[in-house]
Amino acid sequence: MGTLKYPTKRWPLGRAARLQPILLAATALVMAVAMVSCTFQRYGITASAADETPTPALPAADFEVKGRIYFVQGDHIWRWSGGSAQQFSKDAKYESPRLSPDGRSLAAVQMGTNHSDLVLLNSNGQRTKQLTDNWSHTSVQDSAWARSPAWSPDGKSIAFVSDLRRYDMSIWQVPADGGTARLIFGFVVGSGGGDTPTWSPDGKKLAFTGTAGEVTQIYIIDLVTGQWRTITNLPDGAYDPAWSPSGDYVAYVAREGRDHNIWIARPDGSGARRVIAGGLNRAPTWSANDDLLTYLRLEGAGFDLFAARVFNSGKLAISQPRRLTNGMNIVASSGLSWRI
């Protein structure tokens, strides 16, 4: 099919992906095991095991999916609403659309040649602002990638990952109205870097995907103290975290053999439970009241949009999934954005 539909156990290197890939791959393997392991010990990272409980028979999907869901098909952003999807963007090549908290602006990644930038789009899909300038007039090596934008809860800034002036994808933050980006979290050289930041509702923490040895796990960093830790410790790793609006849970994808299942856990890693099982699933995204999850699932030749109930009035109530698109071949790595 020509595109990677779900991530391997390590994220690709950022700037290193453009420089001597064979040599760097071998170097990263050695350095990731030695250097990242030492770094984790230095910061005293701990992780909790998953507390799996048997899954009961699932009730019917007796819920309504409201609001707007943004995703990418091909090179363009699409918007699902009211049971159907329409193309939203008309020019350029975009990835990872994320709707602002007030619903008035869409952050996205505009793809270029050997670089990408964060931009803002209005309600008509037109670009209104460019937040980064990663194309180098000097050399390809000096260009940079920006990926995976995530709005802060107050809508004043956007977290993202970039290899700007670094070797691996690290976590940055830029004002939403424009300004200088600042580094939040830098990864050890050769570790594989990080991806998919997601904010806690109080704006004080970020959960993100990071590489531990040869697998990715879910990390949380306290933006006030700078302390960070893992909340997963899975043999095959985890990725695609999504913090619930209430702040009570983090959803993520866990690799379990051939399956990529969706789990939820408390922000300290406790109470982990599988809620979507079987097949290849990606990009869990919460409803405003924590009751529902939308996500992408590989069906046949491509990914489609699904939804399932996880809670009902605060009580665990996992339902059967409901399919929202059919044959859309959605770009899973660009994720989802959902606002009601």
Side-chain angles (χ1 to χ4, degrees):
M1 293 164 43
T3 58
L4 184 66
K5 290 186 173 58
Y6 57 94
T8 55
K9 292 184 181 181
R10 297 190 66 208
W11 294 106
L13 299 176
R15 190 179 308 280
R18 301 191 292 272
L19 302 172
Q20 301 177 345
I22 297 177
L23 176 61
L24 290 175
T27 303
L29 177 61
V30 176
M31 295 180 71
V33 174
M35 298 181 69
V36 178
S37 176
C38 292
T39 303
F40 292 169
Q41 293 174 10
R42 173 187 174 190
Y43 284 88
I45 295 177
T46 58
S48 59
D51 302 322
E52 183 183 352
T53 55
T55 303
L58 300 180
D62 58 343
F63 54 83
E64 182 180 0
V65 180
K66 300 179 180 180
R68 297 166 287 167
I69 304 173
Y70 293 84
F71 56 85
V72 170
Q73 181 198 58
D75 292 342
H76 297 293
I77 299 170
W78 285 64
R79 177 175 61 198
W80 182 97
S81 180
S84 63
Q86 298 82 32
Q87 186 174 320
F88 178 76
S89 66
K90 299 177 177 61
D91 59 352
K93 179 180 180 180
Y94 293 112
E95 291 185 355
S96 305
R98 300 292 184 266
L99 195 62
S100 62
D102 63 8
R104 297 179 181 178
S105 187
L106 198 73
V109 174
Q110 182 172 336
M111 303 301 296
T113 303
N114 294 311
H115 77 285
S116 61
D117 281 300
L118 291 187
V119 299
L120 298 183
L121 308 177
N122 63 18
S123 58
N124 296 320
Q126 299 170 328
R127 196 179 81 165
T128 59
K129 187 181 290 292
Q130 181 172 327
L131 299 178
T132 62
D133 186 9
N134 289 334
W135 183 72
S136 172
H137 298 269
T138 320
S139 66
V140 170
Q141 289 84 351
D142 291 328
S143 294
W145 300 94
R147 291 279 172 83
S148 301
W151 289 86
S152 62
D154 60 9
K156 294 182 179 180
S157 64
I158 298 173
F160 64 102
V161 297
S162 178
D163 63 345
L164 179 66
R165 299 192 298 274
R166 302 188 67 83
Y167 209 68
D168 297 297
M169 302 299 277
S170 297
I171 300 177
W172 294 71
Q173 184 177 354
V174 65
D177 58 359
T180 303
R182 68 179 183 91
L183 182 67
I184 294 178
F185 184 87
F187 285 84
V188 175
V189 173
S191 68
D195 202 8
T196 57
T198 175
W199 294 79
S200 63
D202 61 9
K204 296 180 179 180
K205 297 178 181 179
L206 280 174
F208 58 92
T209 304
T211 306
E214 283 302 298
V215 297
T216 56
Q217 303 289 356
I218 307 302
Y219 294 77
I220 289 181
I221 182 171
D222 188 313
L223 299 177
V224 178
T225 66
Q227 296 296 311
W228 51 287
R229 57 186 171 80
T230 56
I231 65 168
T232 62
N233 185 20
L234 302 173
D236 292 326
Y239 60 99
D240 280 3
W243 216 308
S244 70
S246 68
D248 292 338
Y249 294 93
V250 176
Y252 56 88
V253 177
R255 302 182 193 87
E256 299 178 88
R258 297 175 62 88
D259 293 332
H260 290 227
N261 301 316
I262 296 177
W263 288 66
I264 60 172
R266 298 285 185 181
D268 62 1
S270 65
R273 181 188 175 98
R274 185 192 299 117
V275 294
I276 307 293
L280 301 179
N281 305 285
R282 285 210 64 175
T285 306
W286 293 90
S287 62
N289 60 1
D290 282 18
D291 280 4
L292 307 180
L293 281 176
T294 56
Y295 59 99
L296 298 173
R297 180 179 176 85
L298 183 64
E299 290 288 333
F303 280 87
D304 271 304
L305 179 61
F306 284 77
R309 181 183 296 281
V310 178
F311 292 98
N312 191 355
S313 300
K315 297 181 179 180
L316 194 68
I318 303 171
S319 76
Q320 296 177 14
R322 172 178 293 176
R323 189 170 186 165
L324 304 181
T325 65
N326 195 340
M328 285 290 296
N329 196 19
I330 297 170
V331 179
S333 59
S334 283
L336 299 172
S337 184
W338 183 14
R339 288 286 185 277
I340 296 177

